[in-house]
Amino acid sequence: MKKYFYIAMVMVIIMALTIIGYGIFVNYKGESVILERMNNRSVIVNATTVKIRQIHAQYEFPEASMYSRQSVDVIAKVDGVITKKYTHKNKYVHAGDVVVELTNEDLPLKIKQAESALRRAEAVELQAKNSYSRYSSLIEQNATSLEKLDEARANFAAAQADTANAQAQYEQAVLNQGRLHVVSNAEGYVLVSYREEGNFVTAGTPICLIGDFKSLWFALNMEDAALRSLLGEAGEKGNFTLSFKRPDFVKAYNTEYSSGNRGNKSVFAVDIFGIYPALSEPAEMRRVVFNVYNDAGILEARSYEDMVLTANQPRYVLSVPVEALDNNYDTGNVYVINSNNELEERHVTVGAVGEKYAEILSGLQEGDIVVVSGIDGLKEGQKVEANMEEGEE
């Protein structure tokens, strides 16, 4: 009886071991199949061909201050009370136009006093001159001493100096009388009026601010490579379009708009006023002064943010969509799909960057296929299935 019991136990153990072994085999085989399937899995990505395209180079910058070439304060040059204003805010004035009229009741008296002092000085000078002439004649007759002649000569010279000083005082008084009419020393619009009728002002007090915002300047410090990428073959003669990512055209001076303006959709023509140092001189950094044409009256002399300069001159270059670089132009890495439908991470040198495409200076050749979307999570050697984009410009 025990014999059959042991036989049964052995059979149970054998069956248990068989089941365990089979389970291990199935599990191993399943993992191998899954791993093989994972390795052979293809990720679907959007891709495009590296080729020659037309681009307009762009340069983005976070902030710049616009300033006017003609923006000056009109200054009172004498004391007085403003009795009449000839201008108002946003009025256009020419150089020499009267801005305000002042009254100074002391000036007429000062002119009379200066004139009287001048006449006395002239009389003293005439007397000194006659005395000097008399002593000059007497010295020729040996009828006086050299000391007397020298004294007469010194008195005459002093009298001449006093007359010249009195003449200057008189002319200054007359000039100050004319300065009661405060005139503009520039052509442009009245941007700010600081004083009103009835206000007393002293010499040196600003009356109003005159400026013309039809043409504005701004300056950027640019790396040489970035500047040359923006300029291209046009060089300093290049012209551009200025746009704003987040238009903020709030007016600080409350100047008027011109007809035909496009409001927040406005873009502005720009050219280069100067590059310092010049492109012909070696330098890593350059200061570039741009001239902005603001005929629509949208902009004013103030700071603006988030701007983009776009070159108007097109260029035809080897390029890829900016998405292929994952918008990281400094790193310059792209994924290339090889003939085995596997990814190769390739380092490239980026040149000019446009709105849609970036110039490739090295690292790729025409006909290469690059991934343009779904880049996050990809790795070199990964199998992919390319969904080629169509309708490229």
Side-chain angles (χ1 to χ4, degrees):
M1 190 70 179
K2 290 183 178 180
K3 178 180 178 181
Y4 293 114
F5 174 75
Y6 289 129
I7 292 173
M9 288 294 294
V10 170
M11 291 181 66
V12 170
I13 293 172
I14 291 173
M15 290 181 66
L17 292 174
T18 302
I19 292 172
I20 293 171
Y22 180 73
I24 293 173
F25 170 76
V26 171
N27 186 58
Y28 172 77
K29 189 67 175 178
E31 287 182 353
S32 299
V33 171
I34 292 173
L35 182 60
E36 182 178 358
R37 289 179 179 176
M38 287 293 292
N39 290 334
N40 292 329
R41 186 187 66 172
S42 295
V43 177
I44 299 177
V45 296
N46 291 333
T48 191
T49 304
V50 179
K51 61 182 181 180
I52 304 295
R53 296 180 177 89
Q54 174 183 295
I55 72 169
H56 291 266
Q58 291 187 331
Y59 183 79
E60 299 183 7
F61 49 104
E63 183 181 10
S65 295
M66 304 281 181
Y67 58 96
S68 173
R69 289 186 294 177
Q70 298 178 357
S71 181
V72 296
D73 281 326
V74 177
I75 306 294
K77 296 181 179 180
V78 293
D79 300 348
V81 175
I82 299 176
T83 53
K84 189 171 184 180
K85 287 185 65 175
Y86 293 93
T87 61
H88 54 78
K89 187 174 176 61
N90 291 324
K91 180 179 180 180
Y92 195 85
V93 297
H94 299 85
D97 286 353
V98 177
V99 175
V100 297
E101 184 177 326
L102 305 178
T103 297
N104 186 325
E105 297 178 353
D106 293 335
L107 278 182
L109 177 60
K110 289 182 179 179
I111 292 175
K112 289 182 178 180
Q113 289 173 340
E115 184 178 13
S116 176
L118 175 60
R119 298 294 173 257
R120 289 196 300 271
E122 290 174 339
V124 172
E125 180 187 354
L126 180 59
Q127 184 179 8
K129 180 181 179 181
N130 292 335
S131 177
Y132 174 60
S133 297
R134 184 172 65 255
Y135 277 105
S136 297
S137 299
L138 291 174
I139 200 67
E140 292 177 356
Q141 302 171 14
N142 293 322
T144 189
S145 65
L146 289 175
E147 288 78 6
K148 293 288 186 180
L149 177 63
D150 290 340
E151 183 181 355
R153 182 188 296 113
N155 290 337
F156 179 43
Q160 287 179 312
D162 289 341
T163 301
N165 182 60
Q167 179 70 36
Q169 294 292 332
Y170 173 72
E171 291 176 355
Q172 183 65 50
V174 174
L175 180 62
N176 287 341
Q177 180 75 21
R179 286 174 171 172
L180 291 174
H181 291 85
V182 182
V183 299
S184 173
N185 53 347
E187 185 172 344
Y189 294 91
V190 178
L191 303 177
V192 180
S193 183
Y194 303 119
R195 298 290 184 269
E196 300 299 330
E197 289 184 3
N199 292 162
F200 175 79
V201 296
T202 58
T205 301
I207 301 298
C208 61
L209 176 66
I210 305 294
D212 188 354
F213 291 164
K214 296 298 183 182
S215 179
L216 296 170
W217 284 355
F218 71 93
L220 296 177
N221 296 325
M222 300 181 64
E223 294 182 358
D224 180 67
L227 175 58
R228 292 182 186 275
S229 292
L230 176 65
L231 298 180
E233 296 181 357
E236 296 184 20
K237 296 181 179 180
N239 52 77
F240 313 89
T241 299
L242 179 68
S243 57
F244 293 75
K245 287 185 173 181
R246 296 184 297 112
D248 175 19
F249 299 141
V250 175
K251 287 182 173 286
Y253 295 94
N254 197 29
T255 54
E256 295 180 347
Y257 297 102
S258 299
S259 61
N261 74 80
R262 298 178 59 198
N264 285 345
K265 298 179 181 179
S266 297
V267 294
F268 306 89
V270 175
D271 56 26
I272 293 177
F273 176 79
I275 300 176
Y276 313 97
L279 291 173
S280 58
E281 301 178 18
E284 290 296 322
M285 295 293 299
R286 303 184 193 277
R287 186 163 182 81
V288 187
V289 180
F290 296 92
N291 183 48
V292 183
Y293 295 92
N294 183 40
D295 294 334
I298 297 293
L299 303 176
E300 290 187 336
R302 48 160 287 217
S303 293
Y304 292 92
E305 298 179 347
D306 293 332
M307 291 172 275
V308 181
L309 274 174
T310 303
N312 292 332
Q313 294 80 6
R315 63 187 76 173
Y316 295 87
V317 296
L318 189 70
S319 64
V320 297
V322 293
E323 294 83 2
L325 294 156
D326 200 20
N327 295 314
N328 192 340
Y329 311 121
D330 295 329
T331 303
N333 287 343
V334 299
Y335 281 110
V336 179
I337 303 175
N338 63 22
S339 58
N340 296 323
N341 289 329
E342 296 176 344
L343 293 180
E344 295 180 6
E345 190 171 6
R346 193 87 58 83
H347 178 75
V348 298
T349 303
V350 180
V353 178
E355 181 180 4
K356 296 181 178 180
Y357 302 106
E359 178 185 12
I360 301 300
L361 301 177
S362 66
L364 294 174
Q365 60 184 5
E366 190 170 1
D368 284 343
I369 298 175
V370 295
V371 178
V372 295
S373 67
I375 294 176
D376 289 342
L378 297 181
K379 60 182 179 180
E380 189 166 16
Q382 189 172 3
K383 286 277 190 179
V384 295
E385 181 180 338
N387 180 19
M388 300 298 294
E389 292 188 344
E390 298 180 357
E392 294 180 353
E393 295 181 2

